[in-house]
Each structure stands twice: as C-alpha cells, then as structure tokens.
Amino acid sequence: MTTPGRKLDHIRICLEEEVESAWRPFNDLMLVPRALPGIDASEVNTRCRFLGKELAAPLMICGMTGGHPDTKEINRNLARAAQEVGVALGVGSQRAALEDPMMEETFSVVRDAAPGVPVVGNIGAVQLRKEGPEILDRLAEMIDADALAIHLNFLQERVQPEGECWGGGLIEAIGSATRGKVPIIVKETGAGICREDAVALVDAGVRIIDVGGLGGTSWAAVEARRAEEKGDQESFRLGRTFRNWGLPTPASVVECVAAGAEVISSGGVRSGADVAKSLALGATIAGSALPLLAPATKSAEEVAEVLRRYIRELRTSMFLTACVDLAELGSAPIVVGGRVREILDQRGFETKKFAIIRDISR
Ligand SMILES: Cc1cc2nc3c(=O)[nH]c(=O)nc-3n(C[C@H](O)[C@H](O)[C@H](O)COP(=O)(O)O)c2cc1C
C-alpha cells in the first residue's frame, strides 16, 4: 500500500475505533492539594519559552498528519488553533512529501497558518538512516521548522505487514542528524523511551526527547484493526497481543529526565491536570494528539476549544497546588502510586522523593 493510502487508513481508524491503551497511567499520580494556596487564581502564569518562541502554556499538538490531499484541511485547522491559542505543533511524517513533492503543501500549510509558534517536522528514524542526513534540510525548509522530530515506532512497524523493522545503525544516523542546522527531537509514538535508550540518545547529541509513552493511542491497536479489515489474521493477533505494550508515559518522563534530556511528555495526556503532573515529574512541556484529531476534521475553533480546556485545567491544577508559575510546578510535590510506582521502584528510581516536601528532598 502507498504511504498516502496508509495515512488515510490511520486517520479513519483513529476517528472511528477504540484505539487507546486500556490503562490510564496518569491516574496513578496525585499532585498534593493545598487548602491554603496563598495566591489568587488570577496570578497563575503558564507562559513559557520552547524552541526559542513564547507559548501561552507548555503544550504541544503532537505530529499526526499531512501526506494526502485530504489531510491538508486537518493540518490547517490544527495550525490555526495552535497560532490562536499559542501552543507548539508538529506535523506527521513528511515521508510522503519526499516520495511525491505534490504532497508538500499538505505540510507547508501549517507554517502559513501558524507563523508565530514553534513548528516541528517529522521523519522516521528508519527513513533517515536509509536516505541520509541530507534530507533533513529539505524537510525543515518545507515548513520552516523550528525543530525536526525523528520518530521511533517499531511496535507499529512490527505489527504492520509492510512494516520496516531495521533497528540497526539508528543511533549513528540520529547522531549525524544532531550535527545539522535544525534542532533534533527524538520521539516515540506510544511505547515510551527508557533510560538506557535516552542515555544513548543524549550521548549521541540529542537534547530533546518526546517520550510518546503508553497510555494513549496504541499503534498496535490501530494496526490490529487495519489487519482485521484486510483479513490478515496473523497481524491482527499480533496487534491485539501487544495493544498495551510499552513504558507508561509518566515513568518514561522520569527515566528520560534522569538521562539528562529536556522532555516532552506525551502519550495519553488527556487534560491540563495530566500536563501539570507531567511538569511536576520534570517534563518541560506536554503534548497531545488523538483528542485533537476529531475536532480538527471540523474547524480550527473546535481544536482551540480543546486547547483552552487543557490550559484552564492546568491553571486550576497550579492554583490548587499553590504554584504561581511553571518553575514552582516543576518542584510541586506529587505522589506516585499504583503500577507507575511499581515500575519506577523496580527500575531503581526513588519515587518518594517526588512526594515529600521538595525543600527536604533536595
Ligand atoms: C492519526 C495519528 C497519526 C499519527 N502520525 C504520526 C506520525 O506520522 N509521526 C509521528 O511521529 N507520530 C505520529 N502519531 C503519534 C503521535 O504524535 C503521538 O506520539 C501518539 O499518538 C501519542 O499521543 P496521544 O495518546 O495523545 O494520541 C500519530 C498519532 C495519531 C493519532
């Protein structure tokens, strides 16, 4: 199947089917509520800088689409909303535009509609290794990118009958990409990034990691559905088995921060409260994809409404935890429970240090 055809399948399935992981790891976390906030709600300031530009809140629309004529309007709506509200945004894999330059405008529409916010390009790590770092300038120029995201998606590729599962040589390819003109972000797409891999990425020169952890869109579930539609029983079973595979997003945030990366928390971020929890664990900003897809098929205003809800919930979380700005939120006490705590404890992280009064723990 061609790249544009596959992209449309993905969007249709994400819009029509239940494709999220069964587990909501952010529910294992609790910010410590303050009955006496000591500040007024109106004083809360969520502004920050990301990739050299100012944002109204530490929020990003994660890369989803482009690459088929029908996706241009979706990207335009996402971009208009990002510009209006003041958040960062990514595009989906630009591979389709490398294969067919006619597809470029389905991506470049984003920069036209969002001239003032950070825009992040996107290409698969396997594609990068195949084509070489020369493609990066072209991808960046296409959308006047502030950064390029190199995505890792081996769970998805493994379940896809046409998937490309060449995992060798990627660190070298990513390392050479970091020596180019545009900042590089490495992102997963729903299975998370552990400390071992984050250390290797940081050593290779990557500064920013988007964890893309477990807890939201499951690409094993999406590909299982595609396989079912095509009557491919083997891939269907494989996708079903691995639907909940991955490192949960909050755990992946802790692991990547420990490796010294600047971290984007994504994968199952479904509210501003999840954004607040992410920042309390050390993330710089948080990103969301699936909840913005259906609104983007309708209008920019519907996308903006979802973004404004996230910001309202973030501001509320900050007020109720006595955090006047994002620096304070970064050290707000947060209790890690349930399976997220089990995972982090077993992995050797001291989860209690997040929960006790930070003045004592530092
Ligand atoms: C319809 C759709 C298409 C996506 N396409 C891409 C892509 O081309 N490249 C990429 O890096 N991630 C892609 N993603 C993954 C998202 O960027 C994100 O990592 C993932 O969906 C987890 O976030 P969520 O749980 O908020 O959806 C896509 C997600 C969706 C929902």
Side-chain angles (χ1 to χ4, degrees), residues 248-287:
T249 297
S252 191
V253 168
V254 171
E255 298 223 359
C256 292
V257 169
E262 184 178 332
V263 169
I264 303 170
S265 168
S266 79
V269 169
R270 295 293 176 262
S271 71
D274 294 345
V275 176
K277 289 171 180 178
S278 298
L279 267 67
L281 290 179
T284 303
I285 72 168

mmCIF file of all heavy atoms in Angstrom, residues 248-287:
data_model
loop_
_atom_site.group_PDB
_atom_site.id
_atom_site.type_symbol
_atom_site.label_atom_id
_atom_site.label_comp_id
_atom_site.label_asym_id
_atom_site.label_seq_id
_atom_site.Cartn_x
_atom_site.Cartn_y
_atom_site.Cartn_z
ATOM 1 N N PRO A 248 4.822 3.205 30.511
ATOM 2 C CA PRO A 248 3.799 4.250 30.673
ATOM 3 C C PRO A 248 4.416 5.650 30.673
ATOM 4 O O PRO A 248 5.532 5.839 31.155
ATOM 5 C CB PRO A 248 3.159 3.918 32.017
ATOM 6 C CG PRO A 248 4.061 2.953 32.690
ATOM 7 C CD PRO A 248 4.851 2.263 31.622
ATOM 8 N N THR A 249 3.692 6.579 30.121
ATOM 9 C CA THR A 249 4.233 7.933 29.918
ATOM 10 C C THR A 249 4.872 8.543 31.172
ATOM 11 O O THR A 249 6.015 9.018 31.086
ATOM 12 C CB THR A 249 3.118 8.838 29.340
ATOM 13 O OG1 THR A 249 2.769 8.288 28.067
ATOM 14 C CG2 THR A 249 3.572 10.275 29.174
ATOM 15 N N PRO A 250 4.193 8.541 32.343
ATOM 16 C CA PRO A 250 4.846 9.195 33.494
ATOM 17 C C PRO A 250 6.177 8.534 33.864
ATOM 18 O O PRO A 250 7.131 9.225 34.237
ATOM 19 C CB PRO A 250 3.827 9.030 34.628
ATOM 20 C CG PRO A 250 2.528 8.699 33.965
ATOM 21 C CD PRO A 250 2.851 8.015 32.677
ATOM 22 N N ALA A 251 6.254 7.206 33.742
ATOM 23 C CA ALA A 251 7.514 6.513 34.061
ATOM 24 C C ALA A 251 8.578 6.885 33.035
ATOM 25 O O ALA A 251 9.748 7.124 33.381
ATOM 26 C CB ALA A 251 7.292 5.002 34.082
ATOM 27 N N SER A 252 8.182 6.971 31.781
ATOM 28 C CA SER A 252 9.140 7.316 30.728
ATOM 29 C C SER A 252 9.661 8.740 30.920
ATOM 30 O O SER A 252 10.840 9.019 30.664
ATOM 31 C CB SER A 252 8.468 7.155 29.359
ATOM 32 O OG SER A 252 9.413 7.226 28.332
ATOM 33 N N VAL A 253 8.791 9.646 31.395
ATOM 34 C CA VAL A 253 9.244 11.021 31.683
ATOM 35 C C VAL A 253 10.364 10.978 32.715
ATOM 36 O O VAL A 253 11.440 11.574 32.528
ATOM 37 C CB VAL A 253 8.066 11.896 32.194
ATOM 38 C CG1 VAL A 253 8.578 13.212 32.779
ATOM 39 C CG2 VAL A 253 7.075 12.168 31.053
ATOM 40 N N VAL A 254 10.144 10.242 33.805
ATOM 41 C CA VAL A 254 11.151 10.171 34.877
ATOM 42 C C VAL A 254 12.448 9.563 34.334
ATOM 43 O O VAL A 254 13.552 10.056 34.602
ATOM 44 C CB VAL A 254 10.606 9.353 36.075
ATOM 45 C CG1 VAL A 254 11.708 9.089 37.102
ATOM 46 C CG2 VAL A 254 9.428 10.077 36.720
ATOM 47 N N GLU A 255 12.336 8.508 33.527
ATOM 48 C CA GLU A 255 13.530 7.836 33.002
ATOM 49 C C GLU A 255 14.330 8.754 32.072
ATOM 50 O O GLU A 255 15.556 8.777 32.106
ATOM 51 C CB GLU A 255 13.130 6.540 32.274
ATOM 52 C CG GLU A 255 12.458 5.537 33.212
ATOM 53 C CD GLU A 255 12.915 4.100 33.036
ATOM 54 O OE1 GLU A 255 13.755 3.847 32.154
ATOM 55 O OE2 GLU A 255 12.451 3.237 33.797
ATOM 56 N N CYS A 256 13.621 9.509 31.221
ATOM 57 C CA CYS A 256 14.331 10.373 30.265
ATOM 58 C C CYS A 256 14.897 11.625 30.934
ATOM 59 O O CYS A 256 15.975 12.100 30.546
ATOM 60 C CB CYS A 256 13.409 10.746 29.096
ATOM 61 S SG CYS A 256 13.026 9.325 28.050
ATOM 62 N N VAL A 257 14.191 12.166 31.925
ATOM 63 C CA VAL A 257 14.736 13.306 32.678
ATOM 64 C C VAL A 257 16.026 12.867 33.383
ATOM 65 O O VAL A 257 17.032 13.582 33.374
ATOM 66 C CB VAL A 257 13.701 13.860 33.697
ATOM 67 C CG1 VAL A 257 14.360 14.851 34.656
ATOM 68 C CG2 VAL A 257 12.526 14.515 32.973
ATOM 69 N N ALA A 258 16.001 11.654 33.939
ATOM 70 C CA ALA A 258 17.191 11.143 34.648
ATOM 71 C C ALA A 258 18.381 11.000 33.700
ATOM 72 O O ALA A 258 19.534 11.054 34.126
ATOM 73 C CB ALA A 258 16.869 9.795 35.297
ATOM 74 N N ALA A 259 18.097 10.817 32.412
ATOM 75 C CA ALA A 259 19.180 10.685 31.427
ATOM 76 C C ALA A 259 19.731 12.044 31.001
ATOM 77 O O ALA A 259 20.675 12.120 30.224
ATOM 78 C CB ALA A 259 18.671 9.924 30.206
ATOM 79 N N GLY A 260 19.098 13.123 31.487
ATOM 80 C CA GLY A 260 19.614 14.460 31.193
ATOM 81 C C GLY A 260 18.963 15.121 29.987
ATOM 82 O O GLY A 260 19.460 16.137 29.493
ATOM 83 N N ALA A 261 17.844 14.570 29.500
ATOM 84 C CA ALA A 261 17.169 15.169 28.339
ATOM 85 C C ALA A 261 16.159 16.224 28.778
ATOM 86 O O ALA A 261 15.653 16.184 29.895
ATOM 87 C CB ALA A 261 16.448 14.083 27.539
ATOM 88 N N GLU A 262 15.892 17.168 27.861
ATOM 89 C CA GLU A 262 14.735 18.039 28.020
ATOM 90 C C GLU A 262 13.554 17.216 27.496
ATOM 91 O O GLU A 262 13.640 16.659 26.400
ATOM 92 C CB GLU A 262 14.924 19.302 27.176
ATOM 93 C CG GLU A 262 13.827 20.313 27.343
ATOM 94 C CD GLU A 262 14.096 21.584 26.524
ATOM 95 O OE1 GLU A 262 15.278 21.910 26.269
ATOM 96 O OE2 GLU A 262 13.124 22.213 26.131
ATOM 97 N N VAL A 263 12.467 17.121 28.280
ATOM 98 C CA VAL A 263 11.462 16.099 27.978
ATOM 99 C C VAL A 263 10.093 16.683 27.620
ATOM 100 O O VAL A 263 9.575 17.566 28.295
ATOM 101 C CB VAL A 263 11.324 15.124 29.181
ATOM 102 C CG1 VAL A 263 10.105 14.220 29.016
ATOM 103 C CG2 VAL A 263 12.584 14.279 29.310
ATOM 104 N N ILE A 264 9.535 16.148 26.525
ATOM 105 C CA ILE A 264 8.140 16.387 26.174
ATOM 106 C C ILE A 264 7.371 15.155 26.648
ATOM 107 O O ILE A 264 7.720 14.036 26.293
ATOM 108 C CB ILE A 264 7.961 16.553 24.645
ATOM 109 C CG1 ILE A 264 8.834 17.698 24.113
ATOM 110 C CG2 ILE A 264 6.485 16.777 24.300
ATOM 111 C CD1 ILE A 264 8.902 17.786 22.585
ATOM 112 N N SER A 265 6.337 15.387 27.452
ATOM 113 C CA SER A 265 5.520 14.278 27.951
ATOM 114 C C SER A 265 4.341 14.080 27.017
ATOM 115 O O SER A 265 3.500 14.972 26.879
ATOM 116 C CB SER A 265 5.026 14.609 29.363
ATOM 117 O OG SER A 265 4.018 13.708 29.766
ATOM 118 N N SER A 266 4.273 12.921 26.356
ATOM 119 C CA SER A 266 3.106 12.653 25.504
ATOM 120 C C SER A 266 2.797 11.174 25.521
ATOM 121 O O SER A 266 3.625 10.343 25.909
ATOM 122 C CB SER A 266 3.347 13.138 24.077
ATOM 123 O OG SER A 266 4.143 12.204 23.385
ATOM 124 N N GLY A 267 1.567 10.873 25.087
ATOM 125 C CA GLY A 267 1.046 9.515 25.159
ATOM 126 C C GLY A 267 0.020 9.478 26.281
ATOM 127 O O GLY A 267 0.381 9.354 27.452
ATOM 128 N N GLY A 268 -1.252 9.684 25.930
ATOM 129 C CA GLY A 268 -2.300 9.628 26.949
ATOM 130 C C GLY A 268 -2.483 10.890 27.763
ATOM 131 O O GLY A 268 -3.160 10.862 28.790
ATOM 132 N N VAL A 269 -1.878 11.993 27.339
ATOM 133 C CA VAL A 269 -2.137 13.281 28.018
ATOM 134 C C VAL A 269 -3.534 13.721 27.575
ATOM 135 O O VAL A 269 -3.760 14.010 26.408
ATOM 136 C CB VAL A 269 -1.061 14.326 27.636
ATOM 137 C CG1 VAL A 269 -1.449 15.715 28.110
ATOM 138 C CG2 VAL A 269 0.295 13.905 28.212
ATOM 139 N N ARG A 270 -4.476 13.707 28.507
ATOM 140 C CA ARG A 270 -5.874 13.925 28.139
ATOM 141 C C ARG A 270 -6.508 15.122 28.843
ATOM 142 O O ARG A 270 -7.723 15.351 28.717
ATOM 143 C CB ARG A 270 -6.702 12.659 28.455
ATOM 144 C CG ARG A 270 -6.295 11.461 27.628
ATOM 145 C CD ARG A 270 -6.635 11.675 26.156
ATOM 146 N NE ARG A 270 -6.181 10.598 25.288
ATOM 147 C CZ ARG A 270 -5.049 10.643 24.570
ATOM 148 N NH1 ARG A 270 -4.246 11.693 24.628
ATOM 149 N NH2 ARG A 270 -4.709 9.657 23.777
ATOM 150 N N SER A 271 -5.717 15.855 29.623
ATOM 151 C CA SER A 271 -6.255 17.033 30.317
ATOM 152 C C SER A 271 -5.094 17.915 30.768
ATOM 153 O O SER A 271 -3.938 17.483 30.768
ATOM 154 C CB SER A 271 -7.055 16.604 31.557
ATOM 155 O OG SER A 271 -6.155 16.131 32.546
ATOM 156 N N GLY A 272 -5.450 19.129 31.202
ATOM 157 C CA GLY A 272 -4.434 20.014 31.765
ATOM 158 C C GLY A 272 -3.899 19.484 33.082
ATOM 159 O O GLY A 272 -2.774 19.811 33.481
ATOM 160 N N ALA A 273 -4.685 18.642 33.762
ATOM 161 C CA ALA A 273 -4.188 18.022 35.001
ATOM 162 C C ALA A 273 -3.050 17.057 34.659
ATOM 163 O O ALA A 273 -2.047 16.974 35.388
ATOM 164 C CB ALA A 273 -5.328 17.292 35.710
ATOM 165 N N ASP A 274 -3.181 16.337 33.533
ATOM 166 C CA ASP A 274 -2.081 15.453 33.097
ATOM 167 C C ASP A 274 -0.849 16.275 32.718
ATOM 168 O O ASP A 274 0.288 15.851 32.957
ATOM 169 C CB ASP A 274 -2.515 14.606 31.889
ATOM 170 C CG ASP A 274 -3.617 13.600 32.221
ATOM 171 O OD1 ASP A 274 -3.849 13.354 33.422
ATOM 172 O OD2 ASP A 274 -4.244 13.079 31.276
ATOM 173 N N VAL A 275 -1.067 17.458 32.130
ATOM 174 C CA VAL A 275 0.058 18.345 31.797
ATOM 175 C C VAL A 275 0.770 18.748 33.097
ATOM 176 O O VAL A 275 2.001 18.676 33.201
ATOM 177 C CB VAL A 275 -0.419 19.609 31.036
ATOM 178 C CG1 VAL A 275 0.748 20.571 30.784
ATOM 179 C CG2 VAL A 275 -1.089 19.227 29.711
ATOM 180 N N ALA A 276 -0.025 19.144 34.099
ATOM 181 C CA ALA A 276 0.562 19.575 35.385
ATOM 182 C C ALA A 276 1.360 18.443 36.023
ATOM 183 O O ALA A 276 2.489 18.646 36.510
ATOM 184 C CB ALA A 276 -0.551 20.048 36.323
ATOM 185 N N LYS A 277 0.800 17.230 36.008
ATOM 186 C CA LYS A 277 1.507 16.084 36.596
ATOM 187 C C LYS A 277 2.824 15.834 35.848
ATOM 188 O O LYS A 277 3.849 15.525 36.465
ATOM 189 C CB LYS A 277 0.617 14.830 36.520
ATOM 190 C CG LYS A 277 -0.572 14.877 37.485
ATOM 191 C CD LYS A 277 -1.542 13.728 37.211
ATOM 192 C CE LYS A 277 -2.720 13.762 38.163
ATOM 193 N NZ LYS A 277 -3.702 12.678 37.881
ATOM 194 N N SER A 278 2.783 15.971 34.534
ATOM 195 C CA SER A 278 3.994 15.756 33.723
ATOM 196 C C SER A 278 5.101 16.725 34.126
ATOM 197 O O SER A 278 6.266 16.347 34.267
ATOM 198 C CB SER A 278 3.674 15.968 32.237
ATOM 199 O OG SER A 278 2.718 15.045 31.780
ATOM 200 N N LEU A 279 4.719 17.997 34.305
ATOM 201 C CA LEU A 279 5.730 19.008 34.643
ATOM 202 C C LEU A 279 6.268 18.787 36.052
ATOM 203 O O LEU A 279 7.452 18.999 36.314
ATOM 204 C CB LEU A 279 5.179 20.423 34.459
ATOM 205 C CG LEU A 279 5.473 20.999 33.060
ATOM 206 C CD1 LEU A 279 4.747 20.278 31.954
ATOM 207 C CD2 LEU A 279 5.230 22.492 33.009
ATOM 208 N N ALA A 280 5.388 18.333 36.962
ATOM 209 C CA ALA A 280 5.850 18.063 38.333
ATOM 210 C C ALA A 280 6.850 16.911 38.354
ATOM 211 O O ALA A 280 7.686 16.818 39.249
ATOM 212 C CB ALA A 280 4.657 17.758 39.244
ATOM 213 N N LEU A 281 6.781 16.036 37.342
ATOM 214 C CA LEU A 281 7.752 14.924 37.259
ATOM 215 C C LEU A 281 9.027 15.335 36.527
ATOM 216 O O LEU A 281 9.955 14.540 36.403
ATOM 217 C CB LEU A 281 7.126 13.727 36.528
ATOM 218 C CG LEU A 281 6.028 12.970 37.268
ATOM 219 C CD1 LEU A 281 5.488 11.837 36.400
ATOM 220 C CD2 LEU A 281 6.520 12.405 38.594
ATOM 221 N N GLY A 282 9.047 16.567 35.988
ATOM 222 C CA GLY A 282 10.285 17.043 35.372
ATOM 223 C C GLY A 282 10.207 17.338 33.882
ATOM 224 O O GLY A 282 11.199 17.765 33.285
ATOM 225 N N ALA A 283 9.033 17.081 33.253
ATOM 226 C CA ALA A 283 8.913 17.401 31.828
ATOM 227 C C ALA A 283 8.916 18.916 31.625
ATOM 228 O O ALA A 283 8.548 19.673 32.529
ATOM 229 C CB ALA A 283 7.617 16.816 31.261
ATOM 230 N N THR A 284 9.323 19.347 30.420
ATOM 231 C CA THR A 284 9.331 20.774 30.093
ATOM 232 C C THR A 284 7.983 21.204 29.525
ATOM 233 O O THR A 284 7.469 22.265 29.835
ATOM 234 C CB THR A 284 10.427 21.075 29.039
ATOM 235 O OG1 THR A 284 11.671 20.623 29.574
ATOM 236 C CG2 THR A 284 10.518 22.555 28.728
ATOM 237 N N ILE A 285 7.440 20.382 28.607
ATOM 238 C CA ILE A 285 6.093 20.625 28.105
ATOM 239 C C ILE A 285 5.407 19.262 27.908
ATOM 240 O O ILE A 285 6.052 18.211 28.025
ATOM 241 C CB ILE A 285 6.050 21.446 26.782
ATOM 242 C CG1 ILE A 285 6.529 20.656 25.574
ATOM 243 C CG2 ILE A 285 6.862 22.723 26.879
ATOM 244 C CD1 ILE A 285 6.205 21.388 24.261
ATOM 245 N N ALA A 286 4.101 19.303 27.631
ATOM 246 C CA ALA A 286 3.363 18.060 27.383
ATOM 247 C C ALA A 286 2.658 18.167 26.040
ATOM 248 O O ALA A 286 2.335 19.270 25.581
ATOM 249 C CB ALA A 286 2.359 17.795 28.495
ATOM 250 N N GLY A 287 2.442 17.013 25.406
ATOM 251 C CA GLY A 287 1.824 17.005 24.085
ATOM 252 C C GLY A 287 0.646 16.049 24.013
ATOM 253 O O GLY A 287 0.571 15.079 24.771
#
